[in-house]
Amino acid sequence: MRRDFGSVSTPMDEALFSFGVIADIQYADLEDGYDFLGIQKRYYRHSLCHLQKAVEEWNGREVQFALQLGDVIDGFNAQHKMSERALEIVLKEFQKLKAPVHHIWGNHELYNFSRDYLVQSALNTKYLEDKTLPNHFVTHQSPTEDAASEFCYAYQFCPMSKFRFILLDAYDLSTLGRGTSSKKYQESLHLLRQKNKNENLNSPLDLDDCQFVQFNGGFSQDQLHWLDEILTYADENQERVVIMGHIPIHPHATNIVCLAWNYEEALSIIHSHNSVVCFLAGHLHYDAYYLDSHGVHHLTLEGIIATPPESNAFGTIYVYHDRMVLKGNGSMPDREMLYKSNHCNSVF
């Protein structure tokens, strides 16, 4: 079921709070190019201009925070030995935002940097985690531990009472960014080779499950168990929950390739709880939306990297008592996402 609300007219001053959303900036100081199929044009250098406009817009709207949904710089930076400089340039623009930014890691972060590097970088925003929850809900693994290469970059935060945001690590299971001797690398490679017999592990050719390519990843059982616990807490406390990850988890909100490896397991957990409002993702580079049978909105954002200079593709989401409303900028459409009717509304 697809719904496009076109231009949504809603009084913004009645919102409880608002936040910015942007995906797949993939900045590089390079001339325009194309994707690996030679079809979709990519505006490597101009993506920075789009980000600058987004930050300016969000400052004007006084958002409470922003979500950067992954792939902040392009993998080509690694080939040209420009990764650290490119990241520095992009982070300098984000620093102009008068609100915190929550960064998600996508495949392009992992093309440029190891997970050990990312844990120590400004792209690790786990320090923004809500630490007021009962102790066992807070992920404890320290970036300084010997097991840093096994680190799962997932956390939750609470911008306002009764609203919780959960950032998932869609590359917790992945061969990208981990040392080849690490346990998760070995487990991920074994799973990938079981599902993908192609010599090129980025090729979905002749696969039964086309999402099992190297540029995707998945969620470990530990992470899924943690998610289930957080959502149980949210249900019991009548919270609204937004979940975000770089890779989409519903096949109707993406194509058959750009899906998390074990998306069905993630969906099963989400559907067993009443608190989840929506799942936000990037990775696809195209706009996609689906309202599933359990009342969860799946919103996949357009990629800045594929947005021509005369347009843009970022948004601001306004949160209300009964819905969330995306006000898109440029080619990003407006969307209205109503909360589930079976969620207890007496909270408000």
Side-chain angles (χ1 to χ4, degrees):
M1 176 181 179
R2 292 184 63 86
R3 299 173 65 188
D4 189 338
F5 294 91
S7 180
V8 178
S9 178
T10 308
M12 297 177 187
D13 57 359
E14 295 178 7
L16 301 172
F17 64 93
S18 64
F19 60 94
V21 288
I22 195 167
D24 298 278
I25 298 168
Q26 291 183 221
Y27 168 74
D29 187 13
L30 297 170
E31 297 297 326
D32 297 346
Y34 287 88
D35 65 4
F36 63 95
L37 293 175
I39 297 173
Q40 186 188 70
K41 192 165 185 179
R42 296 187 170 181
Y43 303 90
Y44 298 106
R45 192 172 286 135
H46 200 86
S47 65
L48 193 69
C49 300
H50 290 321
L51 173 59
Q52 290 167 343
K53 291 176 183 177
V55 169
E56 182 180 356
E57 174 91 2
W58 293 333
N59 278 335
R61 293 182 181 271
E62 298 183 339
V63 299
Q64 190 163 335
F65 58 90
L67 302 177
Q68 187 277 113
L69 295 177
D71 286 2
V72 73
I73 64 173
D74 194 85
F76 273 133
N77 286 293
Q79 296 181 28
H80 294 277
K81 302 188 184 303
M82 302 188 302
S83 298
E84 291 188 343
R85 176 56 180 159
L87 181 59
E88 179 185 346
I89 289 171
V90 173
L91 289 177
K92 184 178 179 180
E93 297 305 324
F94 273 115
Q95 288 167 2
K96 297 175 184 177
L97 185 64
K98 300 173 184 177
V101 181
H102 296 266
H103 291 290
I104 285 175
W105 300 349
N107 50 310
H108 282 263
E109 278 81 5
L110 299 169
Y111 295 153
N112 282 282
F113 306 109
S114 70
R115 292 179 72 95
D116 291 3
Y117 181 98
L118 290 171
V119 164
Q120 302 293 340
S121 77
L123 290 180
N124 180 0
T125 47
K126 193 175 179 296
Y127 67 91
L128 296 170
E129 182 173 35
D130 174 21
K131 296 180 176 63
T132 65
L133 283 184
N135 199 41
H136 65 286
F137 289 129
V138 180
T139 48
H140 295 292
Q141 191 170 20
S142 167
T144 60
E145 292 178 7
D146 292 339
S149 61
E150 306 290 348
F151 180 74
C152 174
Y153 180 56
Y155 67 90
Q156 47 69 42
F157 64 98
C158 185
M160 181 179 181
S161 177
K162 301 301 179 182
F163 288 92
R164 191 165 302 281
F165 287 67
I166 301 175
L167 186 154
L168 293 183
D169 185 347
Y171 290 89
D172 191 15
L173 295 182
S174 173
T175 60
L176 303 177
R178 294 194 188 278
T180 56
S181 62
S182 71
K183 181 180 178 181
K184 282 187 178 177
Y185 176 90
Q186 293 295 331
E187 290 177 350
S188 300
L189 182 62
H190 178 71
L191 174 61
L192 186 57
R193 291 199 181 280
Q194 272 189 323
K195 298 288 188 176
N196 188 334
K197 303 300 183 182
N198 293 316
E199 183 178 351
N200 177 6
L201 291 176
N202 275 322
S203 172
L205 186 65
D206 297 326
L207 300 187
D208 293 330
D209 299 304
C210 292
Q211 75 271 22
F212 281 96
V213 288
Q214 196 167 27
F215 58 79
N216 291 335
F219 312 102
S220 68
Q221 292 304 307
D222 285 345
Q223 184 179 182
L224 291 174
H225 177 70
W226 171 82
L227 173 64
D228 189 40
E229 285 193 323
I230 295 291
L231 292 181
T232 298
Y233 176 90
D235 289 346
E236 292 171 349
N237 289 274
Q238 299 177 342
E239 295 180 335
R240 310 286 190 189
V241 176
V242 175
I243 305 176
M244 50 274 187
H246 182 64
I247 310 175
I249 62 166
H250 201 292
H252 295 318
T254 180
N255 59 34
I256 61 172
V257 177
C258 291
L259 268 168
W261 286 351
N262 53 341
Y263 71 90
E264 291 171 311
E265 290 183 89
L267 276 178
S268 178
I269 290 172
I270 288 170
H271 288 163
S272 69
H273 298 277
N274 289 324
S275 50
V276 181
V277 175
C278 66
F279 189 97
L280 303 176
H283 196 47
L284 181 64
H285 294 184
Y286 296 100
D287 166 72
Y289 169 80
Y290 186 74
L291 175 61
D292 72 26
S293 59
H294 289 75
V296 177
H297 302 268
H298 297 265
L299 182 59
T300 305
L301 302 185
E302 295 180 49
I304 288 291
I305 183 62
T307 304
E310 65 273 13
S311 185
N312 215 316
F314 66 89
T316 304
I317 294 181
Y318 292 85
V319 178
Y320 299 86
H321 288 299
D322 60 345
R323 67 205 184 283
M324 295 184 185
V325 174
L326 167 66
K327 299 298 289 185
N329 187 287
S331 59
M332 183 176 291
D334 296 349
R335 305 266 185 201
E336 183 178 58
M337 297 175 284
L338 300 175
Y339 302 154
K340 299 176 186 179
S341 59
N342 64 343
H343 192 288
C344 180
N345 290 317
S346 61
V347 179
F348 306 107

